[in-house]
Amino acid sequence: MKKYILLIALLFNLVPYINHKGSLTMPGNVRASEYVSDEYGDDESDDEDDGGGGGGGGGGGGENSGNPGLGDNPGSTQIGEVVVTANGELNPIDIYFLEELISKLNVNEPVADIPQPSPSPQPSPQPSPEKKKHIYCDQNIATATFLNKLDQVAAALGTNPDYLMAIIRLEGYDPYTKQIETGVHRNGSVGILSFTTTGAGVINKTRSQISTESSLDQLDDVKAYINSSNYNKGNLSSIDDLYMTTICPKAVGKPDNFACYTETDNPVQYKANENLDTDNNGIITKKEAGAPVRAIYNDGKNHENCK
């Protein structure tokens, strides 16, 4: 189909050169035979063999062919069924000749695909880092700098920063000022972890020294206290074990029913934490001692301002 479309197009291109006799006159001084490949016989050797082309043309151009013989047109050449005259005319236009000419154009051969350059790989868009949420992020000490350092301290301790924040909220929060206190609390303890005299001594400091420090510096005190060899004896990945380092160090790594204080064996400590003995059996277990911080942690997770 494509071949015949090109054939029609070629005929339309030849229309301007067809004269009033129905012959095709080639443009300028170019001979029609120059438009045809040498394989059609248009060379000097053929002219010499055929006596200049006159004798062979006369035989092919008789009455049966309907074309004038070459004898009638001296200097002409016969190519296939088409007579190319010396004055540059094709007489008549031969469809077969045009089909052969088109076949030499290789119109049926597929056009090779031109290789296209591969597009440069585009970097995948990186998702924006999601801002980390913390429980009790709206507390007075919970600045961006404080929360960033809280993350670092928790990572160093191998625990969850929200566990640590829950403990600070439980131990350092003053219900009267509604703030986490870095100074002296009403019970005499100091700082964000409510350091007692004994607790401050573990890190070789006094309560007075800790009470004058900033919340950032007190985070270093918290890290040093929990990391001390006296208390950090277990896995601190649970909130109960982390909290035991502040209220019942000997219970770190122990089961939930481990007795922290009893009314008979530890009357002073038991009396100070009697409210933790929820079943009133005279024994404060590890699970009972950890109940307040678990409640603070769960409340913090539901805190609307920090979601």
Side-chain angles (χ1 to χ4, degrees), residues 252-266:
V252 174
K254 298 294 192 298
D256 287 346
N257 63 353
F258 178 82
C260 283
Y261 307 112
T262 66
E263 188 174 13
T264 56
D265 294 339
N266 316 99

Side-chain angles (χ1 to χ4, degrees), residues 134-215:
H134 293 81
I135 64 173
Y136 300 109
C137 65
D138 58 348
Q139 293 296 297
N140 57 300
I141 64 170
T143 63
T145 305
F146 179 87
L147 294 176
N148 182 59
K149 188 166 184 178
L150 179 77
D151 289 340
Q152 295 174 6
V153 170
L157 293 173
T159 193
N160 186 331
D162 283 344
Y163 293 168
L164 193 56
M165 190 63 183
I167 293 173
I168 292 172
R169 169 64 175 74
L170 175 64
E171 293 292 330
Y173 185 77
D174 189 323
Y176 296 97
T177 63
K178 300 186 184 304
Q179 291 184 342
I180 295 176
E181 295 293 342
T182 58
V184 180
H185 296 273
R186 295 177 183 273
N187 63 359
S189 63
V190 297
I192 61 177
L193 202 61
S194 290
F195 285 98
T196 62
T197 300
T198 303
V202 171
I203 58 174
N204 298 317
K205 287 187 178 183
T206 65
R207 288 185 301 153
S208 178
Q209 287 175 312
I210 294 174
S211 67
T212 60
E213 293 176 344
S214 69
S215 60

